[in-house]
């Protein structure tokens, strides 16, 4: 009688069927989300493995280039006043008085002779690694000192012009040394002046002599490869 009056039995059955359907739907959605999460994790793992492979190859390539440069130029470094930085692959000429006259951008005769010997050999050493290079950058660096009476800003921009002029002079001279490579040189070698933005310090004090330098730096394209991996996902 009570069931007939209030319809309890019918409502209970409908409510039970309704909640059973919702629970099944939620379980199904959870399975879908779980599947998506697994696929995402697998793709992320593959992406990370690709990036790790590039990083390992980058390190191996860095070491190979450094060792090739050391082997080729080990007998010349001291007489040229040069060093090779293992971390940045910068070939640093650190005898500024030999390279240029004070506050001048014209190559000295002594530096021209060094470049005649150095540059063709340098290009040949890097030839097997061209596919892994982004660019070769000729970098000009100065100390923080400027003309007498100049402010810090005036000294910085004076040295910017000086460092840019010197690297341009180096590139122009090197360009003329290898006429058969001019197209590759134009596409892959840049001249950049950094002024006093990358000083060398010794015992927390600026080392003015070491800060004044010209560097040939081989820059690999590992970061470009990693960017392509990320963009392809």
């Amino acid at each position: 009688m009570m069931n007939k009056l209030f319809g309890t039995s019918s409502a209970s059955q409908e409510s039970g069927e309704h909640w059973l359907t919702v629970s099944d739907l939620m379980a199904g959605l959870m399975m879908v989300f779980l599947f998506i999460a697994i696929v995402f994790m697998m793709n992320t793992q593959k992406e990370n493995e690709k990036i790790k492979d590039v990083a390992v190859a980058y390190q191996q390539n860095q070491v190979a280039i450094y060792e090739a440069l050391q082997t080729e130029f080990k007998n010349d470094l001291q007489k040229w006043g040069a060093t090779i930085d293992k971390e940045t692959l910068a070939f640093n000429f650190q005898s500024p008085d030999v390279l240029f006259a004070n506050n001048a951008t014209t190559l000295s005769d002594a530096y021209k002779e060094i470049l005649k010997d150095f540059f063709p050999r340098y290009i040949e050493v890097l030839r097997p690694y061209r596919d892994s290079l982004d660019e070769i950058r000729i970098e000009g660096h100065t100390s923080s000192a400027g003309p007498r009476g100049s402010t810090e800003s005036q000294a910085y921009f004076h040295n910017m012009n000086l460092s840019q002029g010197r690297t341009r002079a180096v590139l122009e001279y090197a360009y003329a040394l290898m006429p058969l490579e001019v197209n590759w040189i134009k596409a892959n070698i840049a001249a950049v002046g950094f002024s006093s933005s990358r000083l060398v310090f010794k015992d927390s004090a600026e080392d003015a002599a070491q800060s004044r330098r010209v560097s040939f730096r081989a820059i690999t394209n590992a970061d470009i490869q990693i960017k392509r991996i990320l963009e392809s996902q």
Side-chain angles (χ1 to χ4, degrees):
M1 176 71 69
M2 294 294 291
N3 288 342
K4 289 181 179 179
L5 284 173
F6 296 103
T8 305
S9 177
S10 175
S12 297
Q13 288 177 1
E14 290 176 1
S15 177
E17 290 173 358
H18 170 71
W19 286 110
L20 181 62
T21 302
V22 171
S23 64
D24 287 344
L25 177 62
M26 292 299 294
L29 288 173
M30 287 297 293
M31 291 298 294
V32 171
F33 287 133
L34 180 61
F35 176 75
I36 292 173
I38 292 172
V39 171
F40 176 78
M41 290 174 64
M42 290 175 65
N43 288 337
T44 301
Q45 183 178 0
K46 290 179 180 178
E47 181 180 304
N48 289 338
E49 288 175 353
K50 289 180 181 178
I51 293 174
K52 182 179 178 181
D53 289 342
V54 171
V56 170
Y58 163 79
Q59 181 61 32
Q60 293 173 342
N61 201 52
Q62 288 273 114
V63 172
I65 293 174
Y66 173 76
E67 291 179 348
L69 290 171
Q70 279 285 357
T71 299
E72 178 65 29
F73 295 108
K74 61 184 177 182
N75 295 325
D76 303 300
L77 296 176
Q78 186 173 358
K79 67 180 181 181
W80 289 346
T83 61
I84 304 173
D85 189 297
K86 186 175 183 179
E87 298 301 320
T88 64
L89 296 181
F91 196 109
N92 302 306
F93 290 96
Q94 294 177 299
S95 297
D97 295 336
V98 175
L99 311 182
F100 303 91
N102 187 39
N103 280 322
T105 60
T106 303
L107 297 175
S108 69
D109 290 339
Y111 195 27
K112 288 180 180 179
E113 290 302 313
I114 291 173
L115 286 174
K116 280 182 184 179
D117 188 8
F118 162 75
F119 189 69
R121 291 163 60 193
Y122 180 74
I123 294 300
E124 286 305 312
V125 168
L126 294 179
R127 188 180 297 278
Y129 307 99
R130 286 187 176 184
D131 289 342
S132 66
L133 292 177
D134 180 33
E135 69 176 2
I136 296 171
R137 187 184 296 162
I138 303 173
E139 300 180 345
H141 303 275
T142 70
S143 68
S144 61
R148 182 175 298 178
S150 62
T151 65
E152 183 177 336
S153 294
Q154 288 171 337
Y156 174 77
F157 286 105
H158 169 81
N159 288 329
M160 178 64 73
N161 289 332
L162 185 63
S163 62
Q164 288 176 340
R166 287 177 169 179
T167 57
R168 184 184 182 282
V170 171
L171 178 56
E172 186 174 0
Y173 187 76
Y175 180 91
L177 291 174
M178 302 190 70
L180 297 180
E181 292 282 1
V182 293
N183 290 332
W184 188 86
I185 290 172
K186 286 191 293 185
N188 295 279
I189 301 184
V192 182
F194 284 98
S195 185
S196 57
S197 62
R198 300 186 180 182
L199 298 172
V200 175
F201 291 89
K202 185 177 181 180
D203 299 327
S204 300
E206 178 186 340
D207 188 327
Q210 294 295 302
S211 294
R212 295 193 294 269
R213 64 199 187 277
V214 173
S215 304
F216 286 74
R217 185 180 168 201
I219 302 174
T220 61
N221 57 17
D223 57 335
I224 295 175
Q225 295 182 39
I226 291 173
K227 183 180 179 181
R228 286 173 180 168
I229 291 171
L230 295 175
E231 289 177 345
S232 67
Q233 301 304 310

